[in-house]
Amino acid sequence: MKKISTVALYSFLALALAFGLVALPARAADHLDAPLVKTDGRLDINDVYAFQSPSNAANTVLIMTVNPVSGVLSPTTFHPSASYDFKVDTNGDAREDMTYKVTFSAPNGSGAQAVTLRCVPASRCGGGGAVLASGWTDTNIAVRGGGTLRADLFDDPFFFDLLAFRDGLAFCPGGVGTNFFAGLNVTAIVLELPSSMLGGNIGVWARTELNSQQIDRMARPAINTVFIPADKKDAFNFGIPRHDQRDFRGNVVGTLLALGNDQATADFLADILLPDILTVNTASSAPFLNGRALANDVIDAELSIISGGAIPGDCVATDSAFTTTFPYLAPPN
Amino acid sequence: MSQRRAILLIVISVLMIVGSYVPNASRTVSSPASSEPSINIDASSPGFGMKGTDELIVFWKERFERDPRDFISLTHLAESHIRKGRETGDVSEYQKAEAILRNSLKINASYEPTLAYLSAALFVQHDFSGALELANRVYNADPRALQALATIGDAQLELGHYAEAEVAYEKLGEKSPSAPVYTRLARLVWLHGKPTEALNWMQQAVEDSDEMGLSGENSAWYHFQLGELYFNTGQLEQADTQYAAALKAFDNYYLALAGLGKVRAAEGKYDQAIEYYQRAVNIVPQPDFLAALGDLYMMTGQPGQAEIQYETVEYIGTLAALNEQIYNRQLANFYSDHNMKVEEALELALAELESRKDIYGYDAAAWAHYKNENYEEAQAFMEQALALGTRDANLYYHAGMIALALDDKAQARTYLDEALAINPHFSILFADEARETLRTLQNAAVK
């Protein structure tokens, strides 16, 4: 070790401090400055879409987005131990008649993951349980029986003035809103299937499952966010649609009353909002509440409905460059 | 005051004044030479498109500047500064984060993540009681506030309320089985004397962080912690592998450099050890690393160099009020370890024990009492330090030396045996001394 003179060392330290090369230390060795704990974005469903394919009217497109603010607050990958499920109810009893399950391998060295699509139960899926599609993330994968699957990073299709919402529903300040989600990314699973595989009038919801436990579920936008109180949000996410009326009707009615609805209207709306299922006539290209297409301004529709027209919207429209061909979502920012 | 100290004091004072006028010049803006490598590393390591910390800071700052109502972006900007603080070891990042969070509360006083991150910012600045109180408030209002629950556990642990910490961490484990939680569970079971379980949790944390595609320091931190556990259980080779993995994930990572220095020292490769520690303290003059570097200089017959490191430890430890808050205990231990200012060591240790009764607080007090030749008191505190059954070689070494001072040779032998069985390389200064003492005791017993 070469000998450094004292003054030289101090000069070094001085220069280093001056140029930011040496920071004043923040770490105490006697405890753990462990990383912050967050909800696992990979299992957090942001939005669910179900709409007639704009490129083939005989097909239906199902999309779930996960990983909010992907690449910033959440990973850009899918959880390798989780199952990402689209639940489909074909007879209006709020129970799934079939489930399209998408699973992933651990990411390889470049971040790509193997993707597998299955359908259960066998009795409803035709060769069910079998693998309907397999391939890699970031690629279009052909589905057996017709259709295409893609799991990838995209521009977040959601648009909403989240800050105004958080600011006591103070929408449209000065007649303008700000889309909080502009410029943000999500990861999404896009599944296009022949509508004949699904049915005519169907109900759809998505869920994530880890170790046989449901982590999140969602159908219509913002039901849990808006109507369910903090202490029951987990219960809602762990719940199933056919128990929604029993378990959460009181909360939904309560919120609707608080928004200024009378009892009869609140009761009426609660029975539309619950169970939380996205109902779709696969033969129709009509917008939300018939399913949900990417550009549908669901927030304006919901705000207007639940406020009895008092809040017409949030003055925000989509700024995403959706396409009319698969996978329909805009490329990531 | 020696001439050296005077120079150092003046230099640092001037810099701190300059730094306070142009805070951005001294720390946020670094020369291209220092910022480029970390950006390159972020791009080349398996980050799968995750932004690096500097990019995050720019990202959230730009969003906030676009919309001054945007307390959400402000909150995440602060979060990024907390992350930056851990990465760089720069305490001013924590202060910055706290100030940003307090500004954000002026826009929205009830946004739960702002309050949760504020409690985390208090925690990292060692305001454990303040952090606990705020985190409790957030968690009681929203049981889904995971970070608040984590801070409750973290603060309870540092305050020595182990049962309460366990309750919080167990809930956290159910709600969020993920790398940051596995790490906390590892720490908890380690303290409870279960090193194998701790290693299992920490391995799981590393696996999970890899699967999530974490990159840079975010990934390196987990490898470093696993390395620490391997080192503390005497598994040098595995420790070496993990520290090297940490360094690979995050270039010039000061924690990993010090880890490698520690391994080289344990292997008796002192020149290499000195080199690693020197690189680490050039990046962050971390007191425990400066002390280790000083010890290595002593061992290699360079007392002049050693003294410089030792003096810097003192100055860093007392540089500012916040440094004192953070480094009181380390400074106490440093004084005790080096037979310097042992009365002050005891004062510092006892003062900290007033507000924070964790096992390492008792250990610091016991060790300082021992150095002040108050052996009875030392023993009483040492019992508290060993109360959880923590398999930490340093604790057993201290217990052994205290028992010896009280002439309980059998107990001393048991404790010293234990220390060396847990980790034969537990300390640059004391591992050999423990072996020597044990040999003397064994020889005496034979005679």
Side-chain angles (χ1 to χ4, degrees):
Chain A
M1 213 41 213
K2 61 177 178 284
K3 187 140 176 113
I4 311 165
S5 83
T6 308
V7 173
L9 183 89
Y10 291 152
S11 313
F12 168 76
L13 194 59
L15 280 171
L17 277 166
F19 289 103
L21 296 175
V22 173
L24 293 180
R27 174 185 156 274
D30 54 2
H31 71 88
L32 208 64
D33 280 343
L36 299 166
V37 180
K38 299 178 177 214
T39 309
D40 190 336
R42 295 173 298 178
L43 304 173
D44 185 1
I45 303 170
N46 300 181
D47 285 281
V48 181
Y49 301 84
F51 53 92
Q52 190 185 62
S53 162
S55 59
N56 179 353
N59 281 359
T60 296
V61 181
L62 306 178
I63 297 176
M64 80 168 94
T65 60
V66 296
N67 278 320
V69 203
S70 190
V72 176
L73 294 179
S74 306
T76 56
T77 55
F78 297 88
H79 199 302
S81 308
S83 177
Y84 296 79
D85 301 345
F86 289 106
K87 300 273 185 182
V88 181
D89 169 23
T90 57
N91 56 5
D93 64 356
R95 290 165 194 260
E96 68 268 36
D97 295 290
M98 47 199 157
T99 304
Y100 289 90
K101 298 176 85 66
V102 182
T103 53
F104 297 87
S105 71
N108 69 14
S110 55
Q113 296 177 272
V115 191
T116 306
L117 171 71
R118 291 182 177 81
C119 179
V120 289
S123 55
R124 295 301 305 263
C125 298
V131 171
L132 290 183
S134 62
W136 289 90
T137 48
D138 308 355
T139 57
N140 291 349
I141 305 165
V143 177
R144 197 150 56 83
T148 316
L149 169 71
R150 186 181 182 108
D152 205 346
L153 182 72
F154 295 99
D155 163 70
D156 189 343
F158 189 51
F159 49 101
F160 178 39
D161 193 338
L162 179 64
L163 291 166
F165 170 73
R166 290 283 190 173
D167 190 15
L169 307 180
F171 291 112
C172 304
V176 268
T178 308
N179 177 18
F180 184 82
F181 298 86
L184 303 183
N185 294 332
V186 286
T187 56
I189 299 167
V190 185
L191 175 61
E192 178 164 339
L193 294 171
S195 301
S196 56
M197 284 172 77
L198 298 167
N201 283 296
I202 59 172
V204 174
W205 68 98
R207 70 160 193 168
T208 50
E209 185 195 59
L210 183 67
N211 305 326
S212 307
Q213 197 195 331
Q214 182 170 305
I215 304 295
D216 195 7
R217 59 124 174 183
M218 184 174 180
R220 289 204 180 107
I223 299 294
N224 197 354
T225 310
V226 175
F227 294 101
I228 307 299
D231 62 347
K232 288 182 88 170
K233 283 187 194 294
D234 277 340
F236 188 88
N237 283 333
F238 299 155
I240 50 175
R242 69 171 185 272
H243 292 155
D244 279 351
Q245 283 275 342
R246 184 193 75 192
D247 295 341
F248 305 107
R249 193 173 186 280
N251 300 113
V252 173
V253 169
T255 307
L256 286 165
L257 290 173
L259 286 165
N261 292 285
D262 61 37
Q263 186 71 48
T265 311
D267 284 338
F268 173 74
L269 291 175
D271 292 337
I272 294 175
L273 295 169
L274 296 180
D276 183 20
I277 291 178
L278 202 50
T279 52
V280 197
N281 175 358
T282 59
S284 165
S285 61
F288 185 74
L289 298 161
N290 176 45
R292 177 183 179 189
L294 293 167
N296 291 169
D297 199 331
V298 292
I299 291 293
D300 281 7
E302 280 190 351
L303 283 173
S304 179
I305 292 168
I306 64 178
S307 68
I311 308 173
D314 65 349
C315 297
V316 165
T318 182
D319 58 354
S320 298
F322 300 127
T323 64
T324 53
T325 54
F326 190 89
Y328 309 107
L329 292 159
N333 297 286
Chain B
M1 186 179 290
S2 74
Q3 197 191 347
R4 251 176 224 185
R5 288 181 186 205
I7 295 169
L8 185 60
L9 189 61
I10 290 162
V11 162
I12 291 176
S13 307
V14 167
L15 284 165
M16 293 206 66
I17 292 161
V18 171
S20 66
Y21 284 117
V22 276
N24 290 339
S26 73
R27 285 182 272 279
T28 312
V29 181
S30 42
S31 68
S34 73
S35 64
E36 262 169 16
S38 73
I39 288 166
N40 289 343
I41 278 302
D42 271 11
S44 65
S45 59
F48 312 150
M50 295 291 285
K51 283 188 194 302
T53 308
D54 291 336
E55 292 171 293
L56 288 177
I57 288 173
V58 171
F59 178 87
W60 292 116
K61 208 173 183 175
E62 279 176 2
R63 281 184 71 91
F64 172 68
E65 280 161 5
R66 220 159 48 204
D67 184 350
R69 296 176 306 164
D70 193 352
F71 57 89
I72 296 176
S73 294
L74 215 45
T75 297
H76 290 300
L77 175 63
E79 177 200 352
S80 310
H81 279 293
I82 294 177
R83 191 169 128 171
K84 181 85 180 166
R86 211 200 47 230
E87 253 171 59
T88 57
D90 182 351
V91 74
S92 74
E93 294 289 343
Y94 293 154
Q95 295 166 312
K96 220 176 279 176
E98 186 183 340
I100 293 168
L101 290 165
R102 292 196 189 282
N103 274 340
S104 184
L105 289 174
K106 287 179 196 154
I107 307 173
N108 185 327
S110 59
Y111 187 50
E112 170 261 300
T114 316
L115 293 163
Y117 290 142
L118 181 57
S119 75
L122 295 177
F123 174 84
V124 291
Q125 295 177 76
H126 278 215
D127 178 2
F128 301 123
S129 308
L132 179 60
E133 196 190 317
L134 185 55
N136 266 323
R137 187 145 66 81
V138 175
Y139 182 69
N140 290 340
D142 183 359
R144 302 172 85 224
L146 294 178
Q147 178 51 44
L149 181 58
T151 302
I152 291 171
D154 295 349
Q156 296 284 24
L157 201 70
E158 297 315 323
L159 289 165
H161 307 153
Y162 295 105
E164 288 86 345
E166 191 167 352
V167 170
Y169 281 174
E170 267 171 13
K171 263 190 247 165
L172 201 59
E174 284 164 24
K175 286 174 190 246
S176 180
S178 58
V181 176
Y182 299 149
T183 305
R184 287 169 165 87
L185 291 168
R187 167 95 171 155
L188 183 73
V189 295
W190 163 261
L191 287 167
H192 278 105
K194 296 168 185 163
T196 311
E197 277 181 45
L199 271 167
N200 287 341
W201 280 121
M202 207 56 231
Q203 275 154 351
Q204 227 173 306
V206 167
E207 237 167 73
D208 189 58
S209 69
D210 283 347
E211 277 179 7
M212 279 213 264
L214 296 186
S215 65
E217 196 269 353
N218 262 20
S219 160
W221 189 86
Y222 290 104
H223 286 288
F224 169 74
Q225 291 298 336
L226 182 56
E228 290 285 273
L229 274 179
Y230 277 128
F231 187 89
N232 291 337
T233 47
Q235 302 176 72
L236 286 191
E237 229 171 275
Q238 289 92 330
D240 190 57
T241 306
Q242 293 304 323
Y243 293 138
L247 194 60
K248 191 171 171 231
F250 192 59
D251 203 15
N252 279 319
Y253 192 32
Y254 73 107
L255 296 176
L257 289 168
L260 289 169
K262 191 156 66 172
V263 171
R264 292 297 166 272
E267 292 166 347
K269 298 171 182 163
Y270 297 129
D271 284 353
Q272 286 180 38
I274 286 173
E275 228 168 283
Y276 276 122
Y277 272 113
Q278 192 72 64
R279 280 174 68 189
V281 303
N282 285 354
I283 296 160
V284 184
Q286 188 66 46
D288 48 333
F289 301 159
L290 286 163
L293 181 57
D295 297 343
L296 284 164
Y297 277 128
M298 281 306 265
M299 295 197 68
T300 51
Q302 305 173 71
Q305 288 295 336
E307 204 188 322
I308 295 169
Q309 311 308 325
Y310 293 157
E311 285 180 2
T312 316
V313 172
E314 279 197 271
Y315 278 110
I316 295 293
T318 54
L319 211 50
L322 182 58
N323 283 62
E324 280 180 29
Q325 186 170 313
I326 293 181
Y327 292 115
N328 268 350
R329 179 177 301 170
Q330 265 173 273
L331 197 56
N333 283 334
F334 170 75
Y335 286 148
S336 300
D337 282 348
H338 297 87
N339 300 316
M340 292 161 68
K341 301 188 184 172
V342 292
E343 290 104 356
E344 204 177 320
L346 185 56
E347 239 170 74
L348 284 170
L350 291 178
E352 218 199 27
L353 204 52
E354 294 272 302
S355 60
R356 190 179 167 200
K357 293 183 170 47
D358 64 317
I359 60 158
Y360 288 104
Y362 283 114
D363 172 57
W367 194 226
H369 267 309
Y370 168 81
K371 292 290 178 167
N372 283 276
E373 299 177 13
N374 312 326
Y375 301 127
E376 303 281 344
E377 289 88 339
Q379 189 188 36
F381 279 118
M382 205 60 226
E383 267 171 33
Q384 299 278 352
L386 291 172
L388 291 181
T390 312
R391 306 273 300 155
D392 180 333
N394 278 294
L395 295 179
Y396 282 97
Y397 169 71
H398 291 168
M401 298 310 284
I402 292 165
L404 186 62
L406 287 165
D407 214 27
D408 188 347
K409 293 199 176 67
Q411 186 65 270
R413 276 180 64 178
T414 309
Y415 281 146
L416 293 176
D417 254 338
E418 197 68 51
L420 290 164
I422 293 169
N423 181 10
H425 317 287
F426 70 90
S427 161
I428 298 169
L429 281 184
F430 302 121
D432 284 339
E433 196 179 322
R435 259 182 292 275
E436 202 58 41
T437 310
L438 199 54
R439 226 181 341 260
T440 314
L441 284 170
Q442 276 158 347
N443 288 343
V446 171
K447 282 172 195 166

